[in-house]
């Protein structure tokens, strides 16, 4: 029996029962971007998925978002297998994304020496040369938990303890198995380009960008050209400090959060996270109040990072501390039909920058300006107060010339995950923000869940062009993510994703988000305080469509 596969527009015949990996191997590895995985009828499948019927088969490569994810997952699995072979007692923990790679350190907090890093990378190269096949095992959570308990990974044991999943995927390239959060490459030989670069008390597993894939160094002697950029060092240390604080509270991984929820400690977990959020706001307010001569604070941030909530609460704290504030929002002076400062194509901010800057200049000169939205009172900076400007075009000093003034400072609001799934698996910030974005559209009744997922790519394009290039120029960076957030998002967004996943154009995104949320127990949204940033994404919790 044979089946027909539609591969990139060409129909090919294969024997029934062929696996995804076998088809990919026949497509060859000669190109710069060999296939690493494939979509089968719109779903990203593992290498050992068996093809039983005619289907659409679309390979994914490194120059594709999903292929990029497969490459990174595979490189991490190779790294962990190599580390186990070089030093079995070594316990690595993954950290924040840094300079086109992932930061790793030791769970003990001790520094990792250069000889150990060199030896681990050398072992990784050997695994690549051996071209070891990928392994996948489908186990019950109980069996998986027993496996990791014997291997000495309590963080993974905790993750499986409270799950009600029938089976879980474990993957690897040797004797050790890792959590199968998604497909990995069919064999190690498909992951030849990487480097381990010492940084701080650990190292960065560095990946090539699309542009440098062919010329990326293949061994340590070539990597003198590789430098760890310090452009995102503020984000890096902010994330490390936040995670350290959470570990002190006993919630560093998804397993810890699930344990708190299952044992009746959800209320205290919520209260602790909200207290930390408030203390972070107070520290930010203290910086603003103590900055001598400060007249203007520009505030921007990524979509669905809670910029409006942070701005309002920061203004309230400053007012309470005796520093009057006038909060002006660029959205109030733009086209109200453009949510989050995007036009339908996601190509430009919605407001007229020159006119908005003229209004800001008039305010700084002591004048009164219109309130923006119809029916709003005129605006004027209070005597002895400061101007807070919430902008949608990023912290671009060319777009907002007032940022050049010595009496101006800037704050960037981001959404960095505060916990890990386990010590080897990160939680990606885009998952949090995409879920918030979807809930925001539903709460405002302006977008269906399907439309929200469809529009997310345009949001990301706009951020990559207009937000991210300027975030590291901010004087202050604020993280709006809450430790318990994923559990609340599961309760709120889970049903919406079930419905959205039935629509094929967004099935990939819906599947990805559902696979992320399945590792968390749901938390009652009623436990979330009315003042929480998450309330911005609850039905009826949004103050206006311009909020971000």
């Amino acid at each position: 029996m044979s089946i027909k596969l539609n591969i990139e527009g060409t129909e090919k015949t294969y024997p029934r029962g062929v696996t995804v990996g076998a088809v990919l191997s026949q497509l060859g590895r000669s190109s710069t971007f060999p296939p690493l995985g494939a979509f089968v009828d719109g779903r990203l499948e593992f290498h050992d998925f068996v093809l039983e019927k005619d289907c659409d088969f679309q390979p994914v490569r490194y120059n594709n978002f999903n292929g990029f994810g497969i490459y990174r997952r595979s490189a991490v699995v190779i790294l962990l297998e190599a580390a186990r072979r070089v030093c079995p007692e070594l316990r690595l923990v993954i950290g924040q994304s840094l300079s086109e790679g992932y930061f790793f350190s030791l769970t003990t907090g001790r520094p990792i020496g250069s000889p150990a890093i060199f030896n681990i990378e050398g072992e990784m190269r050997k695994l690549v040369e051996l071209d070891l096949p990928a392994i996948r095992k489908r186990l019950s959570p109980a069996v998986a938990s027993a496996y990791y308990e014997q291997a000495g990974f309590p963080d993974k044991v905790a993750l499986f303890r409270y799950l009600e999943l029938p089976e879980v995927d474990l993957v690897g390239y040797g004797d050790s198995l890792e959590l199968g959060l998604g497909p990995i490459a069919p064999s190690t030989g498909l992951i030849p380009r990487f480097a381990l670069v010492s940084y701080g008390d650990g190292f960065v597993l560095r990946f090539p960008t699309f542009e440098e894939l062919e010329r990326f160094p293949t061994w340590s002697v070539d990597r003198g050209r590789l430098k760890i950029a310090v452009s995102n060092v503020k984000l890096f240390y902010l994330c490390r400090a936040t995670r350290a604080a959470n570990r002190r509270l006993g919630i560093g991984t998804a397993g810890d959060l699930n344990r708190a929820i299952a044992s009746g400690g959800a209320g205290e977990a919520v209260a602790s996270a909200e207290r930390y959020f408030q203390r972070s706001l107070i520290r930010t307010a203290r910086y603003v109040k103590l900055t001598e001569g400060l007249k203007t604070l520009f505030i921007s941030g990524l979509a669905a990072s809670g910029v409006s909530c942070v701005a309002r609460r920061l203004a309230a704290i400053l007012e309470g501390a005796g520093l009057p504030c006038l909060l002006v929002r660029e959205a109030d002076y733009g086209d109200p039909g453009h949510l989050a400062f995007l036009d339908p194509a996601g190509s430009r901010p919605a407001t007229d920058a020159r006119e908005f800057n003229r209004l800001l200049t008039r305010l700084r000169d002591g004048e009164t300006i219109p309130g923006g939205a119809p029916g709003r009172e005129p605006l004027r900076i209070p005597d002895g107060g400061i101007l807070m400007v919430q902008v949608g075009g990023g912290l671009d000093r060319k777009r907002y010339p007032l940022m050049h003034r010595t009496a101006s400072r800037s704050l960037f609001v981001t959404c960095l995950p505060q916990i890990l799934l386990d010590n080897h698996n990160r939680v990606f910030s885009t998952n949090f923000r995409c879920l918030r974005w979807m809930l925001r559209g539903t709460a405002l009744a302006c977008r269906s869940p399907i439309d929200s997922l469809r529009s997310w790519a345009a949001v990301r394009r706009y951020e990559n062009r207009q937000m991210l290039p300027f975030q590291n120029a901010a004087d202050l960076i604020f993280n709006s993510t809450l430790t318990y957030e994923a559990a609340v998002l599961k309760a709120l967004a889970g049903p919406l994703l079930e419905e959205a996943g039935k629509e094929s154009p967004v099935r990939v995104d819906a599947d990805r988000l559902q696979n992320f949320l399945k590792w968390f127990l749901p938390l009652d949204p009623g436990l979330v305080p009315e003042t929480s940033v998450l309330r911005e994404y609850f039905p009826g919790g949004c103050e206006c469509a311009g909020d971000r």
Side-chain angles (χ1 to χ4, degrees):
M1 294 283 293
S2 62
I3 57 174
K4 295 179 180 179
L5 307 184
N6 178 16
I7 303 178
E8 298 177 321
T10 302
E11 189 175 278
K12 295 186 178 181
T13 302
Y14 288 89
R16 183 179 179 182
V18 67
T19 63
V20 167
V23 175
L24 294 176
S25 66
Q26 294 184 27
L27 296 180
R29 300 185 180 185
S30 58
S31 65
T32 304
F33 302 110
L36 301 172
F39 283 103
V40 178
D41 286 338
R43 290 192 182 276
L44 190 61
E45 299 290 359
F46 281 86
H47 63 283
D48 58 352
F49 182 79
V50 177
L51 304 174
E52 298 282 0
K53 61 179 182 178
D54 297 349
C55 61
D56 183 64
F57 187 98
Q58 298 303 318
V60 293
R61 297 174 169 82
Y62 191 76
N63 58 345
N64 168 278
F65 172 79
N66 292 286
F68 194 45
I70 291 175
Y71 195 99
R72 290 192 167 202
R73 275 194 300 275
S74 304
V76 169
V77 173
I78 293 172
L79 163 67
L80 296 171
E81 174 67 21
R84 187 197 63 80
R85 295 187 179 198
V86 170
C87 189
E89 69 275 9
L90 205 65
R91 290 294 181 263
L92 295 174
V93 57
I94 195 169
Q96 180 61 16
S97 175
L98 181 67
S99 189
E100 303 297 340
Y102 297 156
F103 179 78
F104 284 84
S105 58
L106 293 178
T107 56
T108 60
R110 292 185 292 106
I112 304 177
S114 295
I117 297 172
F118 186 88
N119 290 337
I120 292 172
E121 184 174 355
E123 188 65 29
M124 290 178 71
R125 302 292 174 190
K126 292 179 183 178
L127 295 176
V128 170
E129 290 176 4
L130 290 171
D131 198 22
L132 298 176
I135 300 168
R136 180 172 70 134
K137 292 186 178 181
R138 305 211 77 181
L139 306 173
S140 69
V143 173
S145 180
Y147 168 78
Y148 284 121
E149 188 166 12
Q150 184 177 7
F153 292 101
D155 54 304
K156 296 181 187 293
V157 174
L159 181 63
F160 289 114
R161 181 168 297 151
Y162 304 101
L163 294 181
E164 298 180 353
L165 303 173
E167 290 181 316
V168 293
D169 291 310
L170 302 186
V171 297
Y173 289 115
D175 297 330
S176 60
L177 297 173
E178 288 298 322
L179 211 58
L181 299 181
I184 59 175
S187 67
T188 56
L190 290 165
I191 315 295
R193 306 284 180 174
F194 53 80
L196 301 191
V197 185
S198 178
Y199 186 82
D201 60 356
F203 61 85
V204 175
L205 171 57
R206 174 76 155 78
F207 308 105
T209 62
F210 298 150
E211 295 77 17
E212 65 186 7
L213 186 61
E214 289 185 299
R215 63 179 187 275
F216 198 78
T218 56
W219 182 230
S220 301
V221 293
D222 300 324
R223 74 176 190 219
R225 296 182 285 114
L226 289 177
K227 303 294 181 183
I228 298 301
V230 296
S231 60
N232 54 356
V233 69
K234 291 180 183 177
L235 291 170
F236 173 71
Y237 283 107
L238 173 63
C239 188
R240 291 201 82 183
T242 303
R243 288 182 180 171
N246 289 331
R247 286 195 298 271
R248 288 194 293 271
L249 294 172
I251 300 181
T253 65
D256 296 333
L257 177 59
N258 290 340
R259 181 177 60 246
I261 295 172
S263 62
E268 179 55 32
V270 170
S272 297
E274 295 294 342
R275 285 195 297 268
Y276 186 85
F277 188 97
Q278 183 69 8
R279 287 197 299 268
S280 299
L281 275 175
I282 292 172
R283 285 195 297 268
T284 303
R286 186 180 297 120
Y287 171 91
V288 173
K289 192 172 188 297
L290 296 179
T291 301
E292 187 175 353
L294 179 63
K295 297 295 183 183
T296 308
L297 177 67
F298 284 87
I299 304 176
S300 186
L302 300 176
S305 60
V307 180
S308 292
C309 178
V310 170
R312 290 196 304 270
R313 289 179 62 174
L314 180 61
I317 293 172
L318 289 170
E319 292 272 2
L323 181 61
C325 303
L326 172 65
L327 177 59
V328 177
R329 302 167 65 255
E330 186 178 12
D332 293 337
Y333 296 87
D335 180 354
H338 292 86
L339 185 63
F341 312 103
L342 294 171
D343 69 4
S347 61
R348 62 177 176 82
T351 52
D352 183 334
R354 286 177 295 182
E355 177 59 28
F356 186 63
N357 280 305
R358 280 195 288 268
L359 291 173
L360 296 181
T361 301
R362 288 174 57 190
L363 277 174
R364 281 283 296 262
D365 291 341
E367 297 182 29
T368 300
I369 67 168
R376 295 199 176 181
E377 296 181 0
L379 303 177
R380 186 176 184 276
I381 301 176
D383 294 338
I386 66 168
L387 172 63
M388 296 175 62
V389 188
Q390 182 183 330
V391 297
L395 299 177
D396 183 353
R397 296 184 176 226
K398 291 182 179 179
R399 177 174 170 81
Y400 308 106
L402 277 179
M403 283 190 195
H404 286 289
R405 303 281 184 90
T406 55
S408 296
R409 293 293 185 272
S410 57
L411 168 67
F412 191 84
V413 182
T414 188
C415 194
L416 300 173
Q418 297 196 18
I419 62 175
L420 302 170
L421 280 184
D422 59 37
N423 285 339
H424 296 161
N425 290 282
R426 298 175 60 229
V427 172
F428 293 93
S429 63
T430 186
N431 289 340
F432 282 103
R433 294 194 301 111
C434 187
L435 289 166
R436 285 183 176 188
W437 177 259
M438 183 178 69
L439 290 173
R440 163 72 96 218
T442 303
L444 293 171
C446 64
R447 293 188 307 268
S448 69
I450 291 172
D451 289 337
S452 291
L453 294 178
R454 279 175 171 163
S455 65
W456 186 242
V459 174
R460 295 298 306 278
R461 285 196 301 270
Y462 177 76
E463 290 176 341
N464 289 335
R465 182 176 57 257
Q466 193 62 34
M467 294 288 185
L468 296 178
F470 307 106
Q471 68 175 347
N472 298 300
D475 299 293
L476 295 163
I477 297 180
F478 188 90
N479 184 13
S480 72
T481 312
L482 296 161
T483 310
Y484 66 87
E485 183 166 340
V488 175
L489 292 177
K490 178 171 185 174
L492 293 171
L496 300 178
L497 289 171
E498 288 285 348
E499 183 63 28
K502 298 176 182 178
E503 181 79 5
S504 58
V506 297
R507 180 191 293 175
V508 174
D509 293 314
D511 286 349
R512 172 175 55 82
L513 295 171
Q514 286 178 307
N515 286 335
F516 159 61
L517 291 177
K518 74 181 182 182
W519 300 105
F520 296 89
L521 293 179
L523 191 151
D524 180 9
L527 295 175
V528 180
E530 292 294 332
T531 56
S532 175
V533 66
L534 281 186
R535 286 286 176 176
E536 295 283 314
Y537 307 96
F538 282 29
C542 302
E543 190 169 285
C544 59
D547 281 356
R548 305 185 69 229

